[in-house]
Amino acid sequence: MSAFKYILTFLLAAIYVCFGYFLNPENLTHFTILIGTAFVLYFIILITAKDKQETDVLLWISMIFRLIFIAAIPLLSTDFWRLIWDSKLFISGVNPNLFSPAELIEFTNQNEMLHTNIINGTYSFSSVFKLLFGMLGAMLSNYSIVLSVILFRIPILIAEFITIKYIRKLLEHFHLPHYHVLWYALNPVVIIILTGNLYLEGIVLMFLVVSFYWMIINKWVAASLLWGLAASISLLPLLIFPAIIKRLGAIKGFWFLVISLFVTSITYLPICSIEVFKINLFSFQQHLIDINSFSTINILSYTLGLFENYFVPKLLVILSIIIISIIYFFKNGSWELSFNKVFFGYTAYLLLLEETEPIHIVCLLLFSVFTKNHVFAILWSCIILSSDYLITTSNIGLIISIKLIVFCWLVFELFRNKQLTD
């Protein structure tokens, strides 16, 4: 690797140090300058890195970037704090799914930083498996938040290493360019969100990638176990499963789903009850209403005056089901086609939601690695962090503009790829 590349990676490392230890997240100007510079450096590296040995070096450097955040306190998400709180309750013999932070105000007051980050939180619905990742950190949170963060971050770092390793295996299997792995491994949003801000989706994506690989080599029973563990942390596996069920076939697909759901249910049974179900059913209904009220269709309909309010949520649900079903069940082909179904189905899902969060784009980026000529997910990742700060219910113009930019670039890539194929 050239000296110029090492200089670029050194500058990126300095930016991640600033992000992890010196950034004031309320200073939008500094935040935008840092993320913008990081993406400029990232794009230069992507454009010039084609050699396989150079890719290997850059992958190790990407892990060093992640290690920079080892003791950094998460600033852009409260998910870490909420899991620590839920785990503290579980260790104390209290079911964390039964109480919101405000209902146990005395418990949260034991740690001022914890109290500040979770007091406005709603009910959670965590599995025992998910709580395991927060238990060590929870036991140390009253003594040292930094040590708690380090213990919480180590599993995510390990997961990221395994994810990158299996991305390379899948790229080799599909005969795709080896440097596609850099789209994910070096992406600033992936590094800042997963490792920097401790999203457990890092664990979920590891399970999914390994599961995909095991399915391809016909170890579908082992793959279903990992799929079930992933579903106990996030709903993403359930959302994308229809895209691969046709490739597995009816019998394998049925048993894959049964085993996965069985594994997931086991992780919830110890802290699940009728009361927990009722609480979270109500929370889910409220969340669904919020999603519908923030949907792209809803915004456009209000702007153009096309529909009455009561009709829009029904239209959104119907349209989402139709579009994603067409993508998922269009034809039954190779595993490469199944990965494309996952990618485009998830893209359609995100485009129909206004409230797209950075973690959603991280997941989309992973799926994009296995496509040939689609890089609009990288474009989306470039604008998602700064735009996430600016988007509010009154900022309709920005919401629509971001969606239109991404959609237009997607359409451009589809037409370009068609011309290349012809």
Side-chain angles (χ1 to χ4, degrees):
M1 198 167 79
S2 66
F4 176 67
K5 291 280 181 62
Y6 280 111
I7 293 174
L8 293 182
T9 57
F10 177 80
L11 292 174
L12 266 174
I15 289 173
Y16 291 135
V17 170
C18 292
F19 256 111
Y21 302 96
F22 301 104
L23 177 68
N24 177 2
E26 296 180 0
N27 191 325
L28 182 61
T29 301
H30 291 174
F31 182 90
T32 304
I33 291 173
L34 284 175
I35 194 66
T37 305
F39 266 99
V40 169
L41 299 174
Y42 165 70
F43 285 134
I44 294 173
I45 293 173
L46 284 191
I47 293 170
T48 58
K50 304 296 180 183
D51 181 76
K52 194 172 188 300
Q53 290 184 337
E54 188 175 67
T55 299
D56 291 339
V57 174
L58 287 170
L59 289 179
W60 284 110
I61 290 175
S62 74
M63 291 306 302
I64 294 174
F65 290 161
R66 289 165 168 83
L67 281 170
I68 287 173
F69 289 94
I70 187 67
I73 305 297
L75 296 176
L76 305 181
S77 169
T78 60
D79 284 16
F80 158 74
W81 302 102
R82 184 55 189 269
L83 186 58
I84 290 294
W85 187 77
D86 286 348
S87 299
K88 286 169 72 73
L89 288 181
F90 185 71
I91 293 171
S92 301
V94 180
N95 189 338
N97 294 332
L98 285 175
F99 304 97
S100 68
E103 291 173 337
L104 294 176
I105 187 70
E106 294 181 0
F107 194 89
T108 64
N109 278 332
Q110 293 177 13
N111 185 297
E112 182 179 350
M113 191 174 290
L114 184 66
H115 172 83
T116 302
N117 282 280
I118 69 167
I119 190 59
N120 294 321
T122 58
Y123 293 96
S124 63
F125 191 47
S126 299
S127 66
V128 173
F129 180 68
K130 182 177 180 179
L131 294 174
L132 287 176
F133 292 100
M135 284 184 185
L136 281 177
M139 288 187 287
L140 295 171
S141 61
N142 288 338
Y143 306 101
S144 172
I145 288 295
V146 172
L147 186 56
S148 179
V149 165
I150 292 173
L151 289 174
F152 193 94
R153 189 167 273 124
I154 288 174
I156 295 177
L157 287 168
I158 295 172
E160 281 283 83
F161 178 82
I162 296 173
T163 298
I164 292 170
K165 177 181 177 181
Y166 274 84
I167 287 175
R168 298 206 69 176
K169 285 177 176 285
L170 287 167
L171 289 175
E172 290 175 5
H173 179 85
F174 294 143
H175 304 292
L176 290 169
H178 61 86
Y179 54 82
H180 276 203
V181 67
L182 297 177
W183 295 3
Y184 176 87
L186 281 177
N187 190 284
V189 169
V190 174
I191 295 171
I192 291 169
I193 292 299
L194 290 186
T195 306
N197 286 277
L198 298 175
Y199 275 87
L200 281 183
E201 275 75 5
I203 309 288
V204 174
L205 294 179
M206 175 199 69
F207 283 142
L208 289 182
V209 170
V210 177
S211 183
F212 277 132
Y213 182 76
W214 284 356
M215 278 188 274
I216 289 171
I217 61 176
N218 206 31
K219 294 182 178 180
W220 62 271
V221 176
S224 66
L225 298 176
L226 292 185
W227 202 274
L229 291 176
S232 70
I233 300 175
S234 166
L235 293 178
L236 177 63
L238 299 179
L239 181 65
I240 66 175
F241 176 74
I244 63 170
I245 191 170
K246 286 187 68 176
R247 186 64 186 84
L248 286 171
I251 297 176
K252 285 183 180 179
F254 171 77
W255 285 111
F256 185 98
L257 184 60
V258 168
I259 295 171
S260 299
L261 292 177
F262 177 73
V263 171
T264 303
S265 64
I266 288 177
T267 66
Y268 277 101
L269 282 177
I271 51 177
C272 194
S273 65
I274 295 177
E275 189 176 354
V276 169
F277 179 78
K278 289 179 179 178
I279 290 172
N280 284 277
L281 180 60
F282 176 77
S283 298
F284 175 76
Q285 290 172 339
Q286 293 299 114
H287 182 62
L288 187 61
I289 291 171
D290 292 339
I291 289 176
N292 286 333
S293 65
F294 279 120
S295 71
T296 304
I297 296 173
N298 210 351
I299 291 169
L300 289 174
S301 67
Y302 290 156
T303 304
L304 301 176
L306 296 177
F307 306 110
E308 294 294 334
N309 184 28
Y310 70 87
F311 183 70
V312 174
K314 295 179 181 179
L315 177 66
L316 172 67
V317 173
I318 294 171
L319 187 61
S320 301
I321 292 173
I322 292 174
I323 292 176
I324 296 174
S325 296
I326 290 173
I327 294 171
Y328 280 177
F329 297 104
F330 179 65
K331 62 171 71 171
N332 189 20
S334 62
W335 276 111
E336 292 92 328
L337 181 59
S338 297
F339 272 71
N340 275 275
K341 288 180 180 180
V342 169
F343 176 62
F344 285 108
Y346 193 59
T347 298
Y349 169 73
L350 295 184
L351 285 173
L352 287 168
L353 297 178
E354 179 277 323
E355 206 172 9
T356 306
E357 299 178 2
I359 189 59
H360 297 146
I361 307 305
V362 169
C363 300
L364 186 66
L365 269 167
L366 177 66
F367 303 145
S368 74
V369 168
F370 306 107
T371 62
K372 290 184 178 179
N373 297 301
H374 294 289
V375 296
F376 69 87
I378 297 178
L379 170 67
W380 206 344
S381 71
C382 182
I383 58 178
I384 187 64
L385 277 181
S386 294
S387 65
D388 193 50
Y389 274 78
L390 296 173
I391 288 176
T392 62
T393 55
S394 59
N395 209 336
I396 295 177
L398 180 60
I399 296 169
I400 296 176
S401 298
I402 292 172
K403 292 294 181 179
L404 285 177
I405 291 171
V406 174
F407 181 74
C408 289
W409 193 267
L410 167 60
V411 172
F412 165 74
E413 288 186 345
L414 289 173
F415 276 107
R416 182 196 60 184
N417 293 341
K418 187 178 185 303
Q419 289 177 347
L420 291 174
T421 303
D422 294 339

